[in-house]
Amino acid sequence: MVKISVKPTGIIRKFTDQTILEIPSGQNSEDIIRLLDIPHDVRPIVFVNNRKALKNQDIVDGDELTIVSLVMGG
Amino acid sequence: MFGNTGKIVWVDLDESAAQIRTLPDSYYTRFIGGAGLAAKIFWDFGDFHAAPLSPQALLIFMNGPFAGLKLSGCSRSAVAGRSPLTGHWGDSSCGGHFAPELRYAGFDGIVLEGKSKFPCVLFVEDGLVQILPAGDMWGAGVFDTTDTLRKQFGKKSRSLVIGPAGENLVNYACIINEGHHAFGRAGYGAVMGSKNLKAIIVKSSEPRYLAADPESLDALRRELDSRIRNSVTSQVFHENGTAANLEGAVHMGDVPIRNFTSSFWEEMAEALTGSTLSESYLTNKGACAFCKIACKRVVEVKEGPFAIPKGPGPEYETIAAFGSMLGSMDLAATCKAGRLCNDLGIDTITAGSTIAWGMEAYEKSAICANDTDGIVLTWGDLDTVVKTILPDIAYKKGKLGKLLGLGSFQASATLANDSWQWLTISKGMEAPMHDPRGGGHGLALTYAISHRGACHTANPMLFMEMGACYYPEIGFEYELEPMSSENKPESALLAVQIGAIENSSCFCQFADREITIPEWVQLFNYSAGYGWGLEDMMSAGLRVFYLQRLLNYRFGLRASDDDISSRLIEPAVDGAPEGIEIDFNSMKRRFYELANLDETLGIPDHRTLESLGMNDEANLVWS
């Protein structure tokens, strides 16, 4: 198991609170989105330690995840 | 004729006379309506030598075929003409309540030429057109004028109004509907002002919309309206407005900060985001006619230096333009600045961007106290912006008001120093509040190739890069990476066609991304009876895109003008896009190949124009 922190921003807060997660090792950023049940409609993307995660980037112990929606307007 | 009425009000303000003109059916099926039809009218009747603010200049208001239809997103219209801000072809789009009322009054559009000998208003009621003295309304703000017009012409009348900025010919004066909805960009408020026209009022006796296939249209309309209302993005915008995800956008590097010098400011994002606006100042939600999204905000700031009574509130663009762009995280100040701009009749994007450019120029001594009558330009000083700078711009008062009232591009040219380095423009128009370095590299390309200048609503590239729309029927199945140039020219070629369809049918981009390509075709056929297949619709979009380029060619623009300020494509210094290069030249080169654009002249070759039935246009520009 690995321990990570998750920080939702903006409209992602509708779906999850800031939290500490313990997850099995070998999970990637897409897995975290599924785990938190964040709908694809809000186009969630993950930043790991303030850098945009690569597709299917493995999440490791101590990572700080920021989840951002790509829904933009104006 | 279905959907459209086929009738245009053509007003000669020199003679205080109006006539009703009709256009051939083929104009509608070839150029759709709205921005496309306006371009065609100018092509046929416009004076290419007339200065934007001269009496000879044409100002064209045009509905799309869906105006009057009770469907979310349909209540927009276009205004077009030669822009005083940029000097070339442009157009602007406005939601609200004017477009359906004009359709119900029996018309597709209004074309204005000449200059009234006295300040006037234009009143259109069903088949009747009158030109009346503006009286005391000339000189008044937009809110008072709108109230006066309601009292004079009745609560059911709808109006387009200019403020003092339009009367004083400020290059980025806007036109406001019901105090809340703006033809914001490119300065058409000044064109109205140059014609001594304070307002246009429309009123109808009954809401009639004659559809080609009413039964099929009604079924499709119900399906689409339900889908638009229930989509997650619509609900997000309904709940917290168009700034709902400002925090997320800041993390992406999409939100410009201090004249695009920074790409990340977390504290500001929390202070200015839509949920903060809802919690702090929101009193009601507002909507354009028939729209179920209702993304508009009604706000009240009860106390403090930026207190304002209940009334129109800011959208994302205004919040960013008077917030992060000016180095401020004072949300009340953005509410006040936006309200003031609406009353004075000023485009908030160009105003915020021009002031941001001025602040950077002042900081770097390219503008000095002698240029400003001693007014100090300081990041975050919204007090001076609201109390002094915005009114001075609208009334062209003092050295600073006169300078900033030009817009940043013309102001920089006037200074004739190195202040051009801090411009954030394309073709003379300030970029909106979406930074291509974080918001998507394709935006840099589409800002540059947009006919009116840096613009995020000329086409849906922003939404395509964020994955908000897919169009498999026309080959758009990419999952685009915003911070990359991969597949962007190919996507942009589809985006410009869809954008031309959107802006010619006058459909809101927040609503229409829920519509599939086959449904778009059905909408045109069921409502206006265009009899299109998919290829016909896409060809019409491409035809409009090319015609807008041909207009600019005749105004003197060439391929080299499809450019963008270096500030908007140089590597960001912080945030998600830090250090990432935008490969602008490669994207532009590839787009030119795909669109068959001449690499020097910037226009499509003769054969391409012929393939779209644009033989006359081709012969004229290639002769």
Side-chain angles (χ1 to χ4, degrees), chain B residues 4-27:
Chain B
N4 304 293
T5 67
K7 295 178 184 170
I8 309 286
V9 181
W10 201 288
V11 182
D12 180 351
L13 287 162
D14 283 335
E15 303 296 329
S16 283
Q19 56 178 277
I20 310 304
R21 292 192 187 177
T22 56
L23 297 172
D25 286 6
S26 63
Y27 275 38

Side-chain angles (χ1 to χ4, degrees), chain B residues 122-145:
Chain B
L122 177 70
F123 178 47
V124 178
E125 183 177 21
D126 292 328
L128 186 70
V129 182
Q130 296 179 73
I131 298 162
L132 305 166
D136 292 343
M137 285 182 279
W138 195 259
V142 166
F143 297 130
D144 283 348
T145 302

